[in-house]
Amino acid sequence: QVQLVESGGGLVQTGGSLRLSCAASGGTFRGYIMGWFRQAPGKEREFVAGVTWSSGTTNYADSVKGRFTISRDNAKNTVYLQMNSLKPEDTAVYYCNGKLYSTINYWGQGTQVTVSS
């Protein structure tokens, strides 16, 4: 079945950068919207960024606009999240998501991002 595996998380200082990767396997992702979500301790999961697999159209949460960039490499079946100018409030577990319209969702295991002040 479809599997999503995140990588690239770690510990960085305020103002630093990280690039997260989401490797997708087990199917074709034409028609999917791929996205990144995050969940901080004591908070609900929130949308961070999304990209359509086919066209590359992107969308961002207001909190990360201008700092984060989502992209996808169709040949590698991989979605990326480039995170710059990181802040302590960006600390969270980041999850990769694949959604086929409104019918099905797939989730990765998550990767921890910690931003120290």
Side-chain angles (χ1 to χ4, degrees):
Q1 64 173 9
V2 170
Q3 290 187 320
L4 306 175
V5 180
E6 302 96 334
S7 62
L11 173 64
V12 297
Q13 295 181 356
T14 297
S17 298
L18 282 174
R19 189 181 74 162
L20 306 183
S21 298
C22 172
S25 63
T28 177
F29 295 90
R30 181 180 180 89
Y32 275 73
I33 298 174
M34 306 299 298
W36 289 95
F37 291 74
R38 66 187 182 187
Q39 187 166 14
K43 297 184 65 177
E44 299 225 342
R45 183 183 62 192
E46 64 176 338
F47 170 79
V48 176
V51 61
T52 59
W53 192 268
S54 297
S55 70
T57 301
T58 59
N59 189 38
Y60 298 92
D62 288 342
S63 60
V64 306
K65 284 182 179 177
R67 300 189 297 122
F68 292 9
T69 303
I70 188 171
S71 61
R72 88 274 184 263
D73 186 331
N74 290 3
K76 297 182 182 295
N77 272 9
T78 301
V79 180
Y80 303 97
L81 184 67
Q82 179 66 47
M83 305 185 295
N84 299 324
S85 302
L86 283 162
K87 307 173 181 180
E89 49 263 47
D90 295 318
T91 296
V93 177
Y94 284 70
Y95 296 93
C96 183
N97 168 259
K99 181 176 71 175
L100 181 59
Y101 305 109
S102 298
T103 57
I104 59 172
N105 279 275
Y106 295 97
W107 293 92
Q109 294 295 116
T111 185
Q112 177 70 49
V113 172
T114 303
V115 184
S116 63
S117 61

